[in-house]
Amino acid sequence: MKKIIYLLYITWLSNNIFAQLPEVKITENVIHLTPKITLFLPNGAFDFSLKEQYKKTLVDIFMKYDFFDNFMGINLDFGYKLHSLLLGINLSDKADFSEFYLNQETLHREQTIVPYLKHYLNVYTYIKTQLSFKKNITASVTSFLKLDQGTNVLGEIGIFNNSIKETNSIPSGKSFSLNFKNSLKNFNSDYEYTNIDCDLKQYLKSFKDHFIEFQLRIGYPVYNVKKPLSEIYYAGGYEILKGYNFKEFFADAIIYNQITYNLPIVKSKEIKFSEISFSLLTWNFFVEAAKLGDENIFNNSENIKYSAGSGFGYNI
């Protein structure tokens, strides 16, 4: 009987003690990681990007090394989202150990600090304003002479839209951007120029899982007194005009168009011996054209280069 009374007393006491404690709700904080690796073969370029999101804080890390171009760079992006606004800062350091300019091999390095503000209009569209501080140097590898050195201070504003999504590893939708940049002499910029860049990419479904990729790029110099060599448009190689030598052409303005027809071969395939999984392996046919020039690029039909070919593309 005493044991029963003692047990009831302990139960009553514990219930009263825990009744006075505040209720604590533990919610799990989820960190979203999005790694991406891109290989360009046979050139030997390697891209690695990692996007991390924790609550309202965003971290974007991007690294690239190009064995053919002797290029390496790292890009760090930190942002904090507040309702429809995203405040951030971008830090980057890029070094090109074998850049070709005016038929000579050069060394180019660019260090950048960019505070920015994004205002989201909807899920797919945002307006971005930023102030860029860049220090760059370009020197000849053979003579060690400095071809260009200075501080580039830029004010930029642009609108960006991206509705590209993947369904069963097949992309669809489009992305569009229009960016206006102007060097700021009042902020002690060593350069004086104004550029407009427009990029469009769209995926269209054609037959079964086949899809068409359309690309359009326009870079136009509105005003140009002096610009850094890093702002010049290049063509030739694995990105633009694949049928020509690497960075064979360069100019102050460019119009580029590419149409690619993709035939999926393998989707979500894992190769066990190498521990590599392909989300999509495609065989593609492409046709591309580029026109390079100056501020009069829209007034004539000269200096147009074409390229066509076939190859394989894959996402890891």
Side-chain angles (χ1 to χ4, degrees), residues 227 231-234 249-254 291-294 303:
K227 68 166 54 177
E231 294 291 336
I232 294 177
Y233 300 102
Y234 291 91
F249 311 105
F250 58 89
D252 290 328
I254 188 172
K291 180 181 179 182
L292 297 99
D294 51 22
N303 200 24

Side-chain angles (χ1 to χ4, degrees), residues 37-48 65 67 238 276 278 312-316:
I37 298 176
T38 306
L39 301 175
F40 296 93
L41 299 175
N43 306 76
F46 171 83
D47 287 3
F48 171 77
Y65 187 80
F67 299 91
Y238 55 82
I276 296 177
F278 295 91
F312 293 94
Y314 57 89
N315 295 328
I316 297 180

Side-chain angles (χ1 to χ4, degrees), residues 284-312:
N284 60 66
F285 304 89
F286 68 89
V287 178
E288 58 181 346
K291 180 181 179 182
L292 297 99
D294 51 22
E295 64 273 6
N296 299 313
I297 192 171
F298 297 105
N299 299 333
N300 58 71
S301 58
E302 301 176 355
N303 200 24
I304 301 178
K305 309 296 181 182
Y306 301 93
S307 177
S310 177
F312 293 94

Side-chain angles (χ1 to χ4, degrees), residues 20-47:
Q20 297 175 4
L21 295 178
E23 183 180 2
V24 179
K25 293 183 179 180
I26 300 176
T27 58
E28 182 181 2
N29 293 317
V30 180
I31 298 177
H32 298 277
L33 296 176
T34 309
K36 181 179 180 182
I37 298 176
T38 306
L39 301 175
F40 296 93
L41 299 175
N43 306 76
F46 171 83
D47 287 3

